[in-house]
Amino acid sequence: MSKQMREAAAAANAQAIARLRAAGLRPTRQRLELARHLFTGPDRHVTAENLHGEVVGAGIKVSLATVYNTLHQFTGAGLLRQVVVDAARGYFDTNTGDHQHFFLEDEGTLIDIPGDAIAVSGVPQPPSGLRIDRVDVVVRVTREN
Amino acid sequence: MSKQMREAAAAANAQAIARLRAAGLRPTRQRLELARHLFTGPDRHVTAENLHGEVVGAGIKVSLATVYNTLHQFTGAGLLRQVVVDAARGYFDTNTGDHQHFFLEDEGTLIDIPGDAIAVSGVPQPPSGLRIDRVDVVVRVTREN
DNA sequence: CTGTCATAATAGAATTATTCTAAACTGATT
DNA sequence: AATCAGTTTAGAATAATTCTATTATGACAG
Ligand SMILES: [Mn+2]
Ligand SMILES: [Mn+2]
Ligand SMILES: [Zn+2]
Ligand SMILES: [Zn+2]
């Protein structure tokens, strides 16, 4: 392991610790590893199962239950958002900003659509006593032909 | 049972039979009952479990497996559409036309938004090789305060 | 009508995603 | 170093949905 790699790893770690502390979450071993995997690099969309597989594949010992707990804690802390596109599977998104999604039905993958690219107009007044929490747009795409 | 009620029931039945035949589905006892419940009266949003409960409550003998099968067959035949709003529950919609939804997160209920009221603009070109299948908008609402 | 056959219905088992439980562990603080 | 609330974990439990193997039933030919 080169000096640069060691330094980059240390930086990613420090950043993950800071992020957890800021969210009021104790930076435990598994939370740290999950945070590093989720928040190092570009935004991503993960499934509990696939994040667990990835982290376990990287040699870290975490249970699937902890992955579920952690994803929900991160979501509660505003570090992640849930995306509902598939009745059979829950997705978590590291991009918590204003944006929407393409959903590739065949692949089961999500692609971001920037929030300033897309707009929804003509949403009626919600029934009285109710407030709009959010407006989700899912553009479902399939292979042509 | 009055003469009018008998006639209305017979009409609803004939209509259900016609609808199934048109869809190429054999009008069996349970398909007929389910079709009558689904398509008599205004459009509705149902869950397999709740439709099963309703039909069984009305004294009809149908299994939950058959309700699932039938909902999927109806969907395949274009008589229903599926709506994904809740990771834990699948909804089926008798309104197959162009429209969107309010989703009342607390109640777990859907309310239609007419397709000509709402518009989505600025959807980017999908990645090459992919075609847009449909654009779903879900307006999530919660109790105020 | 009746017999035949492809289709459909059914109970119950199985599967899958997710949550719960209760016990063992560990990060922070003293 | 001792303490303890917060955390992790395996495995059991739950809930929605699908599968399987068997039984029943529409459609229709004779
Ligand atoms: Mn499910
Ligand atoms: Mn869920
Ligand atoms: Zn996203
Ligand atoms: Zn609808």
Side-chain angles (χ1 to χ4, degrees):
Chain A
M1 198 191 243
S2 76
K3 187 175 171 192
Q4 284 108 121
M5 282 175 67
R6 235 178 299 115
E7 277 170 8
N13 216 59
Q15 212 180 67
I17 292 179
R19 205 187 280 255
L20 292 178
R21 286 246 156 78
L25 294 169
R26 216 156 77 175
T28 65
R29 251 195 290 293
Q30 22 283 306
R31 288 217 273 236
L32 257 168
E33 288 297 347
L34 292 170
R36 282 191 340 90
H37 275 260
L38 287 169
F39 305 119
T40 302
D43 277 315
R44 25 185 338 206
H45 302 102
V46 302
T47 258
E49 195 84 41
N50 88 34
L51 178 61
H52 180 245
E54 173 180 323
V55 166
V56 164
I60 290 122
K61 217 195 127 207
V62 206
S63 72
L64 181 57
T66 296
V67 172
Y68 273 105
N69 288 341
T70 303
L71 288 172
H72 284 127
Q73 287 157 179
F74 284 9
T75 301
L79 285 97
L80 291 176
R81 125 188 322 179
Q82 262 190 283
V83 183
V84 179
V85 282
D86 183 339
R89 240 172 173 63
Y91 289 83
F92 291 84
D93 192 342
T94 61
N95 181 349
T96 57
D98 170 38
H99 73 287
Q100 305 296 347
H101 297 98
F102 281 116
F103 180 57
L104 285 59
E105 312 222 58
D106 309 302
E107 302 274 340
T109 56
L110 289 163
I111 297 173
D112 284 348
I113 299 174
D116 56 3
I118 200 171
V120 179
S121 56
V123 175
Q125 188 94 23
S128 79
L130 298 174
R131 68 127 54 76
I132 295 178
D133 193 59
R134 56 180 305 149
V135 177
D136 288 333
V137 177
V138 177
V139 181
R140 293 173 189 277
V141 298
T142 44
R143 289 230 170 66
E144 248 164 18
N145 162 349
Chain B
M1 201 189 240
S2 75
K3 187 176 172 190
Q4 284 107 122
M5 283 174 66
R6 235 178 299 114
E7 278 168 6
N13 216 58
Q15 212 180 66
I17 291 177
R19 204 187 283 253
L20 291 178
R21 285 246 155 78
L25 294 170
R26 216 156 77 175
T28 65
R29 253 196 290 292
Q30 22 283 307
R31 291 217 270 235
L32 257 167
E33 288 297 347
L34 291 170
R36 284 193 337 91
H37 276 262
L38 286 169
F39 305 119
T40 303
D43 277 316
R44 23 184 342 205
H45 303 101
V46 302
T47 260
E49 193 84 42
N50 89 35
L51 178 61
H52 180 244
E54 174 181 323
V55 168
V56 164
I60 290 123
K61 217 196 128 205
V62 206
S63 73
L64 181 56
T66 297
V67 173
Y68 273 104
N69 289 342
T70 304
L71 288 172
H72 284 127
Q73 287 157 179
F74 284 9
T75 301
L79 298 160
L80 291 177
R81 126 189 318 182
Q82 260 190 288
V83 183
V84 179
V85 283
D86 184 338
R89 243 173 172 63
Y91 289 83
F92 291 84
D93 193 342
T94 61
N95 181 347
T96 58
D98 170 37
H99 73 289
Q100 305 296 347
H101 296 99
F102 281 115
F103 180 56
L104 284 58
E105 313 224 56
D106 309 302
E107 304 273 341
T109 56
L110 288 163
I111 298 173
D112 283 348
I113 300 174
D116 57 3
I118 199 170
V120 179
S121 55
V123 175
Q125 187 96 24
S128 78
L130 299 174
R131 69 126 57 77
I132 294 179
D133 193 60
R134 57 180 303 151
V135 177
D136 288 332
V137 178
V138 177
V139 181
R140 294 174 189 276
V141 299
T142 45
R143 290 232 170 65
E144 246 166 21
N145 168 347

